[in-house]
Amino acid sequence: MRIRFWGTRGSIPRPGPTTLRYGGNTSCVEVRAADGTLVVLDCGTGAFALGRELTASRQLHGHLLIGHTHWDHIQGFPFFEPLFVPGSQWEIYSAGGGEREIAETLAGQMTYEYSPITLDALDAQLKIRNLREGILDLGSIRVTAQYLNHPALTLGFRLEVDGARVVYATDHEPHSLHPLDAPPGTAPVHHEDRRHIRFLEGADLVIHDAQYLLDEFPAKAGWGHSPVERVVDYCLLAGARRLALTHHDPSRDDAAIDHVCERARARVPADAGLQVFAAVEGQEIELSGEVATERPPVTEASSALLRGERARHTVLIVDDDPDMVALLDVTLRSEGVRVLTAGDGETALELARSECPCLVLLDMNLPGRDGLDICRTLRAEADPRLGDVPILMLTGKKLKETDLIEAFVAGATDYLTKPIKPTLVRSRVRGWLMRAV
Ligand SMILES: [Zn+2]
Ligand SMILES: [Zn+2]
């Protein structure tokens, strides 16, 4: 498997004399299998130079995997030259579902007001598909898609071919940094962070969002990016061999990225066998695996491809603060879900039993029976639709690690810390609803 970085910058391009070494183009990575199967990860401005090279070498068939459609991941799309070549064929995949269709989003950035060429005027044959978590085969490459934590519905991708494994995980914020000063080797408390580590497990190369340093992170919490120290910790726990730091913050010049990289390397024990570097635009990496692993077949249940119309989901919001309920209500209605609300635990239980919601947002500090008590009661229900329903606890700002552990023991699936950021709530809720499909 051959990897080449075409764009390593996050958020916005940063060209100029201070970014010559690491590059200024936004996210784009080329992955090529030994048999020629081509996957392009993200289509930021780096895709422009990649597209020119592909056209020059008449490589006109391939797959685009777009983790999410923030501009730094799609701005190169209208300038990706193979799309203008008659006879070329491209399969395009991105996280979709609910009210969101990837084809509409891509077309949206190419309407008359923004672009001289519209999506339907492109010469290439395009097949555009919505993805959820799951697996799919692109030529010889097995892809596993898993939701990341970002204020837009975002998928990370694990690619396996030729016995080698690469994970592309940007943009992603850890679900929890409790405790903030945890030493390396400490397993995270949050189930979703443990799941993220399993996603990275045994990777020959992890290409990971590393936009911030841990001491910068408190001011950036909720923006959907990782502190580099935690990325190193997770790669160590996952037994990954190489870590390419990417999605470099646009405020950092080359020297500042050197500093981030030094900070990351300082966290790796000498005997850990993890090589850490900051991804450089133009850099190529050859990965060779020893044993090609067995692949389970793609079934309807495990497939990452979304098919047809989705059922309308019901979400139950339980909070005694009317302002919070109103904020969540308007946020979730924009996702096209049916919203039920309750201001206390007893009403919540009645509604849950009669309506069987697909997801419960549950305030931890309710008057009377508190959120933990309601959570335990739901988990003890005989009806599996309640016993297994995803429960997102809504917690106050001053959350202690012991509170978190207590919430997970009570049966919580996930939690969101107040003050709530609507974009993050939308993507987290959508991710849980898509898992329920
Ligand atoms: Zn980004
Ligand atoms: Zn983003």
Side-chain angles (χ1 to χ4, degrees):
M1 192 196 302
R2 190 169 63 81
I3 317 291
R4 191 162 172 193
F5 293 97
W6 292 89
T8 60
R9 189 68 50 175
S11 307
I12 191 168
R14 176 75 197 280
T18 62
T19 59
L20 287 177
R21 276 193 292 123
Y22 290 102
N25 280 301
T26 54
S27 303
C28 183
V29 178
E30 174 190 1
V31 178
R32 200 180 284 274
D35 71 352
T37 301
L38 168 65
V39 170
V40 178
L41 295 162
D42 279 336
C43 226
T45 59
F48 173 70
L50 167 61
R52 283 171 64 89
E53 187 177 285
L54 292 174
T55 311
S57 59
R58 301 299 293 168
Q59 298 273 313
L60 300 175
H61 307 310
H63 312 83
L64 300 183
L65 281 175
I66 297 171
H68 69 306
T69 51
H70 280 165
W71 269 342
D72 50 326
H73 301 258
I74 58 167
Q75 260 183 338
F77 182 80
F79 301 93
F80 187 58
E81 209 171 272
L83 301 179
F84 298 88
V85 180
S88 69
Q89 293 174 338
W90 290 85
E91 293 177 21
I92 300 159
Y93 302 88
S94 188
E99 299 297 285
R100 187 170 178 281
E101 292 287 335
I102 173 62
E104 285 171 22
T105 311
L106 289 176
Q109 74 156 351
M110 295 177 72
T111 56
Y112 170 78
E113 292 84 354
Y114 302 113
S115 167
I117 310 264
T118 55
L119 184 70
D120 55 10
L122 292 172
D123 294 302
Q125 269 182 39
L126 302 182
K127 203 159 93 181
I128 306 180
R129 301 295 298 269
N130 293 295
L131 288 188
R132 60 172 179 177
E133 280 191 347
I135 52 178
L136 82 158
D137 288 328
L138 302 178
S140 58
I141 300 178
R142 163 61 56 97
V143 178
T144 305
Q146 182 163 304
Y147 289 123
L148 302 178
N149 187 34
H150 195 62
L153 191 65
T154 303
L155 285 166
F157 302 108
R158 181 182 173 102
L159 278 63
E160 303 184 33
V161 69
D162 309 329
R165 294 152 292 196
V166 58
V167 178
Y168 182 73
T170 189
D171 304 11
H172 177 71
E173 176 175 318
H175 284 70
S176 166
L177 289 184
H178 285 277
L180 198 63
D181 55 355
T186 311
V189 170
H190 201 295
H191 292 183
E192 289 298 301
D193 289 327
R194 293 181 183 206
R195 192 165 182 264
H196 187 68
I197 292 167
R198 289 198 295 278
F199 189 55
L200 312 179
E201 203 163 77
D204 299 288
L205 172 66
V206 172
I207 303 167
H208 206 290
D209 179 333
Q211 191 152 350
Y212 304 128
L213 294 166
L214 200 52
D215 46 21
E216 294 168 336
F217 186 79
K220 310 285 188 181
W223 291 30
H225 298 288
S226 290
V228 66
E229 293 89 338
R230 277 298 186 275
V231 180
V232 170
D233 294 351
Y234 292 173
C235 283
L236 288 170
L237 288 162
R241 294 190 180 85
R242 270 176 270 205
L243 166 60
L245 309 171
T246 194
H247 211 272
H248 306 312
D249 193 277
S251 69
R252 294 197 211 285
D253 58 16
D254 287 333
I257 296 175
D258 286 341
H259 174 66
V260 170
C261 195
E262 281 160 21
R263 188 80 79 91
R265 285 178 179 152
R267 210 160 166 95
V268 181
D271 60 349
L274 175 67
Q275 184 196 340
V276 180
F277 56 95
V280 173
E281 191 174 311
Q283 182 178 9
E284 276 191 59
I285 297 168
E286 190 83 38
L287 296 177
S288 55
E290 283 151 23
V291 193
T293 42
E294 283 275 306
R295 291 178 178 179
V298 181
T299 63
E300 200 165 318
S302 66
S303 173
L305 287 175
L306 270 173
R307 292 183 176 84
E309 287 295 303
R310 314 298 350 142
R312 191 153 188 241
H313 292 106
T314 299
V315 175
L316 172 59
I317 298 168
V318 190
D319 202 307
D320 60 319
D321 175 358
D323 292 339
M324 180 56 59
V325 172
L327 174 68
L328 289 169
D329 187 15
V330 75
T331 301
L332 297 188
R333 277 182 204 277
S334 60
E335 276 292 304
V337 302
R338 174 173 169 248
V339 176
L340 305 170
T341 62
D344 63 83
E346 289 299 342
T347 312
L349 285 174
E350 271 172 43
L351 273 172
R353 285 171 184 140
S354 62
E355 300 281 345
C356 285
C358 304
L359 179 71
V360 180
L361 300 185
L362 181 56
D363 184 23
M364 206 130 146
N365 302 308
L366 291 168
R369 297 182 68 178
D370 70 7
L372 291 176
D373 187 12
I374 301 303
C375 190
R376 280 188 285 264
T377 307
L378 284 171
R379 288 292 176 243
E381 293 280 317
D383 186 339
R385 290 175 298 173
L386 296 179
D388 300 335
V389 66
I391 300 174
L392 266 75
M393 301 298 290
L394 305 171
T395 63
K397 206 177 179 181
K398 296 235 181 310
L399 192 69
K400 295 196 289 288
E401 196 186 357
T402 47
D403 297 334
L404 272 184
I405 293 168
E406 201 179 3
F408 284 122
V409 168
T413 318
D414 195 354
Y415 73 88
L416 286 162
T417 308
K418 294 178 185 177
I420 301 288
K421 197 174 174 199
T423 46
L424 202 58
V425 175
R426 277 183 72 164
S427 67
R428 286 276 269 279
V429 164
R430 175 51 58 195
W432 281 112
L433 293 177
M434 295 312 295
R435 282 176 183 170
V437 167

